[in-house]
Amino acid sequence: MNEYSIGIDIGGTNTDIGLVEANGRVAGRQRLSTQTFTDKESYVAAMSEGIRTLMQAHGVSHIASIGIGAPNSNFFEGCIEAGTANLPIKERIPLKEMMEQIFNVNVVVDNDANAAAYGELVYGGGRGMRHLITITLGTGIGSGIIVDGKLVHGHTGTAGELGHSIVMPHGRPCGCGRQGCIETYASARGICQNYIEAAKQAGRPLSVAERESLTCQQVGEAAAQGDPIACQAYDTTAQWLGIALANAANFSAPEAIFLMGGPTRAGEALMQPLRKYFEENLLFLYKNKISVRLSELNGNDAAILGAAAIGRIEC
Amino acid sequence: MNEYSIGIDIGGTNTDIGLVEANGRVAGRQRLSTQTFTDKESYVAAMSEGIRTLMQAHGVSHIASIGIGAPNSNFFEGCIEAGTANLPIKERIPLKEMMEQIFNVNVVVDNDANAAAYGELVYGGGRGMRHLITITLGTGIGSGIIVDGKLVHGHTGTAGELGHSIVMPHGRPCGCGRQGCIETYASARGICQNYIEAAKQAGRPLSVAERESLTCQQVGEAAAQGDPIACQAYDTTAQWLGIALANAANFSAPEAIFLMGGPTRAGEALMQPLRKYFEENLLFLYKNKISVRLSELNGNDAAILGAAAIGRIEC
């Protein structure tokens, strides 16, 4: 007998609903265009309709939980806060309350970075672990921290912002208004900046046009193919990330730290130097006890699995 | 009706045993000379005798728990590890097992820095909180992290080493073998170094003899009295500590961070600039939501209360 959960990944473009088996297989999917909904009632009705369609199509009469990954969400209150930037619905959306009334199961709402950590814990490389950290490299750097099998939300509900750990006092300016956050050295933009600096240092400075059109994906693909300047850019990324992750290890001494997100597609061009710098910067107590690994969740399923996992853990 | 707990603080010189009321009053104490015991059986027998003496003297027939704060202890196994530097007993001491057999109550063993966090949570300024961090400034920097009302031990059992967070890549050399740990800027020795540098910058460099005889207590007393060089030394300490604590806030978003230990006796000469730099370095999400405060445990009782609190929380 299988137990099914629902995972819903809310993004500014699409809202993806998945019916997830206990072993992490996504049995079926439904997709809504987020931008077509301008009030919470019609949005929740459409999500509910999507869930019912999935259940009927797979002959499922009962679901264990519903987990929702959403931007600007409040885990404690189970809602998306009013005024969320990328959503057309500007009012507060009390998703937990509304969905629980409809389905009579526990509904849990959390943000995407936290959902990624739950997903790794329940369905990915973190199965069986009690302590792990996930780091999502992208436009910014998101993180989720699992301590004793539970996600750390903290007093404010917004814990786990490792992307804004300051690794270099008075370092690069960050979008958060401060300086030297790890995000400025290891996000997609940070990696491009590392490339621009490496090219200059190699005596091959980029033109303004080249700098403006440069993408992290290009740098990652070049690095994966052994381009020396791109590899240097990733080496610099790994140096800074090695310090940040070693500092994170001091906090919760996890069993593993998992990396995910676009820039990790560079593979060993990132991971090989990262493991080296991480170990070098690690306090002796932790040496050779904490692994740094790529996420084991399939990229296409990761967001839905993360959302489904929230419901599995927190209910 | 009152409920009593036992707190035992094991140090290289003394072993202090306290009978603690539920409200945190230490009703009575017994002291053993740690160095007089060379085998675990006689040591545990003497501690047990001390506990019984306290119980009889105060007419207490039942205790709720026994908590023990000890160096080089293993929380998971409830023991002091073999070969502990400052203890004459060199074999492994399975305190939990031995004491539980005698008193038939739960016994919990943890290290001093963690005991400080438990103490603040149960008996100090952290009463009623679910998330806090304690930082003990001294020869080194110890820390204890409470998440959701529980101490973070991590996968290795040795989590919570914030003193070894790197705040300055390639910074001052640290006793741990690495560079730029916050301990090198804000421990007693780090504060002395800050004073030596401030004096030099003020055009009044210290002689070799002055440098060698300088103590953090002198710097703290001078700072408390407004001495400009000592105040500058504490300002520098606060700058670095402000970054380290702001980075810690990103992790667990605690309600408060409590400071304790000798160097904090400088009072507002430390706390006033520290609060300023902490807020400046704090991510916008946390601004004005996390307080930085002095410990509210009486220094003389702190170690016994911390030990007693371990038993209260973890049993």
Side-chain angles (χ1 to χ4, degrees):
Chain A
M1 188 199 134
N2 210 325
E3 193 182 60
Y4 291 87
S5 302
I6 295 291
I8 304 178
D9 173 45
I10 296 180
T13 308
N14 296 312
T15 297
D16 287 316
I17 305 166
L19 179 70
V20 178
E21 296 176 7
N23 63 5
R25 198 178 80 88
V26 180
R29 298 162 167 274
Q30 288 276 304
R31 171 167 281 188
L32 309 174
S33 287
T34 308
Q35 296 292 325
T36 58
F37 301 96
T38 52
D39 67 281
K40 61 179 189 258
E41 286 77 14
S42 64
Y43 187 45
V44 168
M47 282 194 271
S48 303
E49 185 55 33
I51 293 171
R52 283 204 199 86
T53 302
L54 281 171
M55 291 173 69
Q56 281 166 15
H58 293 82
V60 173
S61 60
H62 174 76
I63 48 171
S65 58
I66 299 174
I68 304 174
N72 202 24
S73 58
N74 183 319
F75 168 79
F76 294 142
E77 300 189 8
C79 70
I80 296 178
E81 302 282 13
T84 294
N86 298 324
L87 299 186
I89 303 173
K90 291 304 174 193
E91 63 190 325
R92 180 176 179 275
I93 314 174
L95 280 172
K96 179 181 172 66
E97 189 188 329
M98 294 174 80
M99 298 286 279
E100 283 185 348
Q101 276 179 8
I102 297 168
F103 288 97
N104 200 29
V105 295
N106 281 318
V107 177
V108 187
V109 184
D110 211 333
N111 71 47
D112 320 20
N114 289 349
Y118 286 111
E120 204 66 44
L121 179 74
V122 175
Y123 300 116
R127 272 173 294 191
M129 294 186 184
R130 302 285 299 161
H131 297 269
L132 62 83
I133 296 175
T134 56
I135 304 284
T136 307
L137 304 182
T139 311
I141 295 183
S143 65
I145 302 158
I146 304 280
V147 165
D148 270 330
K150 287 280 211 177
L151 201 119
V152 179
H153 288 98
H155 176 63
T156 64
T158 54
E161 286 288 348
L162 299 188
H164 292 286
S165 291
I166 296 170
V167 289
M168 186 66 206
H170 310 298
R172 290 185 186 165
C174 184
C176 74
R178 303 175 310 148
Q179 289 178 281
C181 298
I182 181 60
E183 184 164 304
T184 67
Y185 298 95
S187 66
R189 186 179 295 179
I191 294 168
C192 285
Q193 185 62 31
N194 295 344
Y195 184 88
I196 291 166
E197 291 179 7
K200 193 174 171 192
Q201 208 152 21
R204 291 164 51 191
L206 272 60
S207 68
V208 174
E210 284 172 327
R211 285 207 300 271
E212 284 177 356
S213 68
L214 185 69
T215 67
C216 184
Q217 193 177 341
Q218 291 169 339
V219 180
E221 285 167 4
Q225 288 169 24
D227 173 81
I229 292 176
C231 285
Q232 179 57 51
Y234 264 94
D235 192 86
T236 302
T237 305
Q239 282 183 41
W240 290 109
L241 210 47
I243 294 173
L245 299 189
N247 281 349
N250 290 336
F251 204 99
S252 68
E255 187 167 352
I257 300 175
F258 293 92
L259 274 83
M260 54 194 77
T264 65
R265 284 198 285 267
E268 284 302 299
L270 171 66
M271 297 305 285
Q272 190 269 330
L274 178 57
R275 289 193 195 98
K276 183 184 78 169
Y277 293 122
F278 175 70
E279 281 295 329
E280 278 179 19
N281 283 294
L282 213 46
L283 184 64
F284 63 90
L285 285 174
Y286 309 126
K287 281 193 192 291
N288 301 309
K289 290 185 180 166
I290 302 172
S291 60
V292 175
R293 298 157 62 174
L294 287 172
S295 168
E296 292 181 19
L297 290 183
N298 177 314
N300 293 328
D301 291 339
I304 279 179
L305 290 177
I310 303 175
R312 289 282 301 274
I313 285 291
E314 295 287 349
C315 285
Chain B
M1 189 197 134
N2 210 327
E3 193 181 59
Y4 291 87
S5 303
I6 295 291
I8 303 178
D9 173 46
I10 296 181
T13 308
N14 295 312
T15 297
D16 286 316
I17 306 167
L19 180 70
V20 178
E21 296 177 7
N23 64 5
R25 198 179 79 87
V26 180
R29 296 162 169 273
Q30 289 276 305
R31 171 167 282 187
L32 309 174
S33 287
T34 308
Q35 296 293 325
T36 56
F37 301 96
T38 52
D39 67 282
K40 61 178 189 259
E41 287 77 14
S42 65
Y43 187 45
V44 168
M47 282 194 271
S48 303
E49 183 56 32
I51 293 172
R52 283 203 198 87
T53 302
L54 280 171
M55 290 173 69
Q56 281 167 13
H58 293 83
V60 173
S61 59
H62 174 77
I63 48 172
S65 59
I66 299 174
I68 304 174
N72 201 25
S73 58
N74 183 317
F75 168 78
F76 294 143
E77 299 190 9
C79 70
I80 297 177
E81 302 282 13
T84 295
N86 298 322
L87 299 185
I89 304 174
K90 291 304 173 194
E91 63 190 326
R92 180 176 179 276
I93 314 174
L95 280 172
K96 179 181 171 66
E97 188 188 329
M98 294 174 79
M99 299 287 278
E100 283 185 349
Q101 276 179 7
I102 297 168
F103 288 97
N104 200 29
V105 295
N106 281 317
V107 176
V108 187
V109 185
D110 210 334
N111 72 46
D112 319 20
N114 289 350
Y118 286 111
E120 204 66 43
L121 179 74
V122 175
Y123 299 117
R127 272 173 293 192
M129 293 185 184
R130 300 286 299 162
H131 297 269
L132 63 82
I133 296 174
T134 55
I135 304 283
T136 308
L137 304 182
T139 311
I141 294 183
S143 65
I145 302 159
I146 304 280
V147 164
D148 270 331
K150 288 279 209 177
L151 201 120
V152 179
H153 289 99
H155 175 63
T156 63
T158 54
E161 286 287 348
L162 299 186
H164 291 286
S165 290
I166 295 170
V167 289
M168 187 66 207
H170 310 297
R172 289 184 186 164
C174 184
C176 74
R178 302 175 311 149
Q179 289 178 281
C181 298
I182 182 60
E183 185 165 304
T184 67
Y185 298 94
S187 65
R189 185 179 297 180
I191 295 169
C192 287
Q193 185 63 31
N194 296 344
Y195 184 88
I196 290 166
E197 291 179 7
K200 192 175 172 192
Q201 207 151 24
R204 291 164 52 189
L206 271 60
S207 68
V208 173
E210 284 173 325
R211 286 206 300 270
E212 284 177 356
S213 68
L214 185 69
T215 67
C216 183
Q217 193 177 341
Q218 292 169 338
V219 180
E221 286 168 3
Q225 287 169 27
D227 173 80
I229 293 175
C231 285
Q232 180 56 51
Y234 264 94
D235 191 87
T236 302
T237 305
Q239 282 182 42
W240 291 109
L241 210 46
I243 294 173
L245 298 189
N247 280 350
N250 289 339
F251 204 99
S252 69
E255 188 167 351
I257 300 175
F258 292 92
L259 274 84
M260 54 193 78
T264 66
R265 284 199 285 266
E268 284 303 299
L270 170 66
M271 297 305 285
Q272 191 269 330
L274 177 56
R275 288 194 195 96
K276 184 184 76 169
Y277 293 121
F278 175 70
E279 281 296 329
E280 278 178 20
N281 284 293
L282 212 48
L283 184 63
F284 63 90
L285 286 173
Y286 309 126
K287 281 196 190 292
N288 301 309
K289 290 184 180 166
I290 301 171
S291 59
V292 175
R293 298 156 61 175
L294 287 172
S295 168
E296 291 181 19
L297 290 182
N298 177 315
N300 293 328
D301 291 340
I304 280 179
L305 289 178
I310 304 174
R312 290 283 301 274
I313 286 290
E314 295 288 350
C315 287

